[in-house]
Amino acid sequence: MPPTTGPFPISRPWKRWAVAAGLVAGFLAFFWLFGGWSLAPQVDLTLSNGDEPQTLDPAMATAQLDGRIILALFEGLTTRAADGSIVGGMAESWEMSPDGLTYTFHLRPGIKWSNGDPVTAQDFVDSWERTLNPATASEYSYQLYYLRNGEAYGTGKITDFSQVGVKAPDAQTLVCTLAHPTAFFLELTSFQTLCPVHMPTIKKYGRDWTKPGHMVSNGPYVLKDWRFRNYILVEANPYYWKPVPVHRMKVLPTSNANTTFNLFYSHKTDLILDTRSIPATLVADIKDKPYFHANPFGATTFLRFNVKRKPFDDVRVRTALALALDKHDIVTKITRAGEPIADTFAPPGYKGYTPPQGLGYHPDEARRLLAEAGYPGGKGFPDVNLLYAIRGSGPQQIATEMQALWQRELGITSIHLRGQEFNVYLNTQQLIDYDLSLSAWIGDYNDPQTFLDMFVTDGGNNETGWSDPQYDQLLATSENTVDPAARMKILSDMEKILCVDQVPIVPIYFWVGMALYEPGKIGGFEPNFVDDHRWGNFYIPEKKP
Amino acid sequence: MIALIVRRLIQAIPVLFIVVTLTFMLVRSAPGSPFASEKKIPKEIMDQLEQEYDLKGPLWHQYAQYMWKVAHGDLSISTQYRNRSVNEIIAQTLPVSMTLGALAYCMALGAGITLGALAAVRHGQWGDRTLMLLALLGISIPSFVLAPMLILFLAIDLGILPVAGWGSADQIILPALCLSIPFAAIIARLTRGSLLEVLKLDFVRTARAKGLPEFAVLFRHALKVAILPVIGYSGPAAAGILTGSIVIETLFGIPGIGPFFVLSAENFDPFVTSGIVLVFSSFLIVFNLVADILYFVVDRRVRLE
């Protein structure tokens, strides 16, 4: 046999073909096994949730999109109806003591975990201990600081959990003792942080307990499959206390808004839940389509002043900048989803709450105040930076518009834009190392306090350096006021100090929650103020009994 | 040759060591924190978080802890995806990118070499000019323009391919096409240029003089020599294409490793960033080595010493 002449040691053509075929077969086999290919599972609904969840551990989750999946898998003492109102979840009924300090919850009889174990009041005690325990490092553990001694335990000042205000006198009864009356406590008990977890599963699997096959949950759905950044599959929990209308759902983590919209447009997803997943540039075009749904949502974009720095230590300068801002211009030119402009900080729509009259848009008064403060026509105004987060194009456009508006109305030319990558921006803001900062706040619960308690002196989220003893005093009074009407009045007075008298912040606009779905395809999805849509409420209209 | 491979792999260790060290130091010295949040985290919780992720204490100590883990094959845990280790993230996303990349790579090589050879044969003619214009477009149109255009045309208007997603054979075609086009364009230009030089050489004239058909002259003899610059280019290109594309994987919603090159830096996920840089560097070293070996196999003039 002559020596091989080609570059490869195999000379016969059929051998080459065999090698090639073998390589192709091996390649296909490898990627079938490891490449995440699978037969598409049959599902009743496909949802686009915005991004890959960071975690499905109720105690650890902080992001809204994580919360949406977690609240399909887990359920707290209370839950939400489609319209956002609080209804019984694991608890069938509850009583509040007249002083507003003690809540006694009665669990539904026969409630079970997805493995058949009974859900008991002790499960709540153990889960809350886990969340509060500093060793767990739960970033949202402060949601349990409303319990008596919750904060002390959560920050390691006491180590005896029996001193914390939660007790299980029997398997069906949970008694919560609060640090002070908390009007929105039943809102908190519906939130993911206060959902119970199955402690034996966590003990068994540690960090891996949220994997499919490991996770035991108590909500309307159970986790069937979780392909990282590909999809999550949830299926109705047979042990849930009532029938779940939609049997199986697929959750897509597509993070790119255009891709998500393409999937919706080509009927590959039935519902886009996440406001950020709807392309901002398209909103104006699709706003009038039957599949576009928007509703007021408890979140506000606003401007923070660093009141420790010149010239914003002068309330007249702050007021002038607030009065000169034509917010209408921003919502019609940039955001364009029908966002209402904001003259007060807490969004309108909280039950029983009447916000004060805000500052509004009065450029003449603004110019007068600025001149009075020593900068007539913007002359002599020092160089300052306007900080914003580089996160999509929205914040940059808004900051640019604000810069132009102040130049137009007040003649200030020395405001410079300072965009920072989101994480760096948060850090800069926390260190109060800015002059002006474009910020946003999403309410944690359905009550204006979630906005107003931020600005208490040295509050963790104040970040303006602003402090007002009267404001602090009013907050303390409101926290001990049980009568809802009187409490709302105090909150309104606080808001007047914040947005009219002292102006450490300028509210700009309120958000709208957006969702895309064909109305005939999904039922049980109603606009609600907290933009909190529990998947257990969904149904498919033609299948509705 | 075995000795050479072993030597090159041993040389790779200090290179990777330096790469990981630099990455770690750069990531850890950037402002911002992996645990930054819109809501202030109580100090006790922050301390515990930093403790848990070995991000506490002096930098050299963090670095030593990390290197100790890396030496044991543990790339630590993600600060973004709290229930996942970096090993797990890479194990789940890298094969996805490799699947897509391998297909795109084969498409790029096949199309690039064929079209480049065709252009060389038709040198100076209409066909050559058209192909080279297309190649120029392929190189210069960025993928974030090309991909949406192809999606709009092929997936939305014609509806013949899915717009995005991962998990079935039809979903891989469009992203693989988008990914392969710039590589195919570069390979076509390289092949054409090199083949034009080779076709002038004596051995080609000899082959033609022997009466071999033009096809055999081109593909059996000339291309075997002309392919050398393509091999040189395709080593590093393979490392790039197999470790995923940020743009393509994001636009097509593909659960690959590509977006992590940017995402992990945006999220300040220090160990994911270091882990991915480590993987990419290893790929680069391995594929450069493979290219060198192929050089040797194809062209016996090359001495590996």
Side-chain angles (χ1 to χ4, degrees), chain B residues 204-274:
Chain B
V204 175
R205 195 182 312 134
T206 313
R208 283 194 178 128
K210 282 197 323 194
L212 283 180
E214 188 60 26
F215 181 84
V217 172
L218 203 62
F219 285 92
R220 280 257 174 82
H221 297 273
L223 206 54
K224 215 178 264 177
V225 178
I227 206 81
L228 287 174
V230 176
I231 292 176
Y233 165 75
S234 49
I241 205 169
L242 290 177
T243 47
S245 149
I246 297 150
V247 174
I248 300 291
E249 288 178 8
T250 306
L251 285 179
F252 286 95
I254 291 169
I257 202 168
F260 280 102
F261 284 90
V262 171
L263 268 183
S264 67
E266 263 183 14
N267 295 332
F268 278 78
D269 203 339
F271 304 125
V272 172
T273 308
S274 309

Side-chain angles (χ1 to χ4, degrees), chain A residues 251-414:
Chain A
V251 188
L252 300 179
T254 333
S255 56
N256 182 282
N258 291 312
T259 307
T260 312
F261 184 77
N262 285 346
L263 285 168
F264 178 78
Y265 193 76
S266 59
H267 308 292
K268 290 286 186 288
T269 184
D270 301 307
L271 169 65
I272 302 184
L273 278 164
D274 194 79
T275 300
R276 278 185 218 274
S277 297
I278 298 168
T281 46
L282 269 184
V283 168
D285 294 323
I286 60 173
K287 210 160 69 170
D288 301 318
K289 303 270 191 221
Y291 57 72
F292 183 85
H293 305 266
N295 57 272
F297 166 39
T300 311
T301 290
F302 66 102
L303 178 79
R304 278 186 166 98
F305 289 111
N306 182 351
V307 304
K308 298 274 186 202
R309 279 194 194 167
K310 278 192 178 309
F312 303 119
D313 54 346
D314 186 338
V315 67
R316 291 170 300 186
V317 176
R318 301 198 296 262
T319 313
L321 263 65
L323 286 166
L325 209 55
D326 184 1
K327 299 160 188 172
H328 201 70
D329 193 76
I330 291 167
V331 294
T332 49
K333 269 193 198 162
I334 301 165
T335 59
R336 298 199 296 180
E339 287 86 352
I341 61 164
D343 278 335
T344 52
F345 186 44
Y350 290 116
K351 207 173 144 206
Y353 182 68
T354 318
Q357 177 75 38
L359 281 174
Y361 170 56
H362 299 288
D364 289 332
E365 175 66 5
R367 282 186 281 271
R368 192 189 66 75
L369 277 171
L370 195 68
E372 198 183 297
Y375 310 105
K379 277 190 194 66
F381 202 85
D383 281 297
V384 291
N385 289 317
L386 169 55
L387 176 74
Y388 64 89
I390 300 171
R391 203 187 199 195
S393 57
Q396 178 166 20
Q397 288 176 2
I398 294 170
T400 312
E401 189 65 23
M402 286 163 67
Q403 185 192 34
L405 286 169
W406 284 322
Q407 183 169 355
R408 189 183 80 194
E409 302 294 353
L410 301 175
I412 301 173
T413 53
S414 54

